Amino acid sequence: MSLLKKATIRHSLFIILIFIVLTALRLLWLAYFLPSSDQPIAREGIFDIRDQQLSDEEVLNLDGEWLYYPGSLIDPLNINTQSFEQTTRTIPMRDSDATTQRYGSYRLKILLNHNAPKDNRFAVRIPAVSTASALYINGKLVEQSGKVATNSRSHKGQAAPYTLYFTNEQPEIDIILHVSNFDTSISPTIDKRILFGSASAIEHHQMINDLSLATISITLILFALFSTLVFLFINPKPIVLLFTVGFLLPLADELISYDRSILTWIHLDYVWSFKLSTIIYLGSSFFFVQFMRVLLVKYHNAKCFKWLFAFYGLSAFLTIILPINWLYTINSFYFLLYVASFLYVIALSLKEYLENQKQSTVFIALTALGTTNGIIWAYIKSIYIFDIPMYPFDYLFAMLGFSGYWFKRFFENQAQINQLIAKLQKDDALKDEFLSSSSQKLWDPMNKMITLGQSIYDNPNNKLMADDKHNLKHLIDIGRSMSFTLNDILDFTRLKEGHLHLHKKNVSIQSIVYGVFDMLRFITSGKQIQMNSTIPRSFPNVVADENRLIQILFNILHNAIKYTSAGSIKISAHIKNNMAVIHIRDTGLGMDDAIQSRLFSPYEQGSDNNNGIGLGLLISKKLIELHGGTLQIHSIPDKGSDVYFTLPLAEGDLKEEQSYIEEEDMLLPIKEHNSSSTVEKQFNILMVDDDPVNLTIMRSLFATKEYAVTTVTSSEKALEMLQQEDCWDLVIIDAMLPYISGFALTEIIREHYSLLELPVLLLTARNYSEDVYTGFANGANDYVTKPINSVELKVRSRALIDLKYSINQRLHLETAWLQAQIQPHFLFNTLNTIASLSTIDTDRMIDLMHHFGEYLHASFDVRNLQRVVPLKDELELVRSYLYINQQRFGDLLNIEWDVDDNINIEIPPISLQTLVENAIRHGVLKQEEGGKVCIRIKDFTDHVAVSVIDDGVGIDPSILDELQSGSHSPNTGVGLRNTDLRLKRIYGQRLQITSALNEGTTVTFHIPKK
């Protein structure tokens, strides 16, 4: 026999043994609490125990024949003077014995032993009666469930069991039980045993029930509490909350089964109480199935689970919508669903246990066996009426198996994790060793190859062919890119080993701060956070590696933003002990002492989620220490944190504390232009960097014969230069500038110039993704990483300038396209009008020819290729155009001029004429009666408003929406679209259009005054 077969037999025997143990415990429980077989039986409404002495432990079942008065609620005090229909009913009874009566009375006389003490205390336990009952003892109403009545209006169902304790001095006890049921279709029935005995015996019986229920309740509550704590502090996943609900639902089901009066706390009527208890019953069954599915590994995704879940969902839905009479009918289906689903998951769990045979699966089998035993005995109790105390051991075994499974799985997983950790630590050490050794070995030959190749390439005496020289340059570029990769690897390994080399220089902290602010703007999206710096312009430079200083501030600010949902983040600095002290204060969540104590431990996090404290602060701390400074944190929970670090001040920049003098930004002299006649084109470059030395070096790279370079040391000065002159071919900007960073300056430039109109080349200290992404997101065309490679800077700059030059040619073509918009039929119609006037009115003909000539001359004037032209030139063109149209259309076209005097501005060429032509062609001439066009030019303090107003047909709302949104379609026309784009490009403002169908259109634009 194989080892596998022997193990299967051994585990099968173990399952059988557990089942036998559980069954034996149940039988012992029954044997202890089942009543003796010689208990008396009621005969024709008489329960005779005169020959029996009641003990303090035995509880009697009032089984047998009770007198029943169908359709009558007899008066206990006058029962002998009234005449009622009388029959007998056997209690406990089945539905087959029921009648169609909605109410009635049960009566039983208990004949006591004459030797019993006269003041002996007795107790009666009335089970849940469908659906209302009232108990009378010796003619007195002593207890009731719901409200018994003879009509549905007065009736109130509850069906809750109750126990009554009383003292009887007579030798007999007269029990009358009024019952009524107007809630369901069945008659009032008593299908469970009524208990009677001494008060101490009933109390003993009740105490066992209470203890069993308390045991089950405490067990389920503890497991629910445990699941909740796991969700809150260890594993915040929805499946863990599912366990919490799954433990509470069986608890609610047991409490309701024990005493339905609990439902009265939520003030529901009988129907909805019944539905709620049914849903809870279904829910507890469903969650047990879900529990077992989660525990299963091999059969976790069995298809039958989907069908079971669908049936449970359908059952819950039917319970809510169906009337209660139907629910009584389909209750048997619910029981079958309950049994089938339980047996299915139990079979799968036992099958997995036999197939898997792991130590942890034995606990699944234990859970399954405990549940199986409970199902079997629940079915037996539904057939045979047992009135014994609640049995808690099935629950205890199921919970024992459940908890044992998780503990065993925990230790198994812990052992696997320990093995993986040891393997990962070994692999990590091997990886670090391999990366470090490989990088060191590759770096030196790679650097020699790049240096040797560059020297050969730069040697003017080499006799390389053009293709060979090009290939050599390509080889150098490839080697340089590989060296960057090796540098990244070396930086990582050296930092981990504490041997990272810094490239220190004098760095402006203000520039770095504002650059990092703009790099992190995208993270603050959706948060109400204000980031600002109070570091003055005259704060001295620090000695630092610019790349690493950006990394330090990036990590600290990123962490502050992450834990600040609203408020502010402020950076300030002061000098102390010849060191610059930089504070980053936020108003975020803060940290308690426990988190701060492990803040700089490797791979520690402030919370148990993936967004906690990682390596960022630890790396920043090590980098600061490498610079000769320190990093400290002061934090208060819910009030924010203050992260502050020190850096050494640059030599020669040390000043007394708080004695800074604000200096004006430096405007460096413009390089002398070579006015030689041999220069065909000189491109204008604007350079922005807060370091004058860098500007001097970069400016020297560009030959004066080809380039006119202007340098400024602040974003504010750069904006002034851009506003004063409109001749720039390229702007080179350092990303790290004080107060207005290079990123922000690029974004401002893009508000007035497109990517093609004015290229921007960004200088970044790092080639990291966040730097590059921020630059491109704010509108940069390209970037160069510091330290700057001279060849790369020149090549990238020339490429962008050539692109700009090509775009200028395109803009000239746009203007030519506007000139070409003179419609052929306009020319033909004008010539035809001239020809007609030659025979009618020669004077008008001559005048029209004069204006037609002026119109053609103005339309094709070379000045129209300029960016702007004087307003008077544009007005002359418009007047000629209007005169021609008035001669053609006569009274159909009325022109009104409303122009202020002495307006001296410049406007884009062929802009006003385009709007007037649009008003005539698409406005007033679309109407049979024609209309009026008004040209209104008004002089205001800071701008001139130019409007073209017509009372024509107006603009269709859909086309108007396209015009106002800027998404120009072919429907909007070329002229109107080009005018709108040119105004936006030059002034940052678009056409303002208002229109109403059959009322007219107003088109306005503003020309700002310089």
Side-chain angles (χ1 to χ4, degrees), residues 639-650:
K639 291 188 178 181
S641 301
D642 178 11
V643 182
Y644 52 99
F645 62 93
T646 60
L647 290 174
L649 290 171

Side-chain angles (χ1 to χ4, degrees), residues 33-88:
F33 289 105
L34 276 179
S36 60
S37 58
D38 58 350
Q39 278 201 7
I41 300 295
R43 304 290 184 183
E44 295 184 354
I46 303 296
F47 189 76
D48 190 354
I49 54 173
R50 287 176 294 182
D51 297 331
Q52 185 172 346
Q53 187 71 34
L54 292 178
S55 68
D56 291 337
E57 296 181 357
E58 185 178 14
V59 176
L60 302 178
N61 300 321
L62 299 183
D63 297 346
E65 297 175 348
W66 286 53
L67 297 179
Y68 181 63
Y69 303 88
S72 300
L73 299 180
I74 61 176
D75 185 355
L77 298 178
N78 301 315
I79 188 171
N80 295 324
T81 62
Q82 302 177 34
S83 176
F84 302 102
E85 178 186 352
Q86 178 180 309
T87 184
T88 60

Side-chain angles (χ1 to χ4, degrees), residues 626-646:
L626 288 175
H627 282 82
T630 59
L631 173 67
Q632 297 183 14
I633 295 178
H634 175 69
S635 183
I636 301 175
D638 300 323
K639 291 188 178 181
S641 301
D642 178 11
V643 182
Y644 52 99
F645 62 93
T646 60

Side-chain angles (χ1 to χ4, degrees), residues 963-975:
L963 291 170
Q964 293 174 337
S965 65
S967 58
H968 300 291
S969 69
N971 298 330
T972 61
V974 177

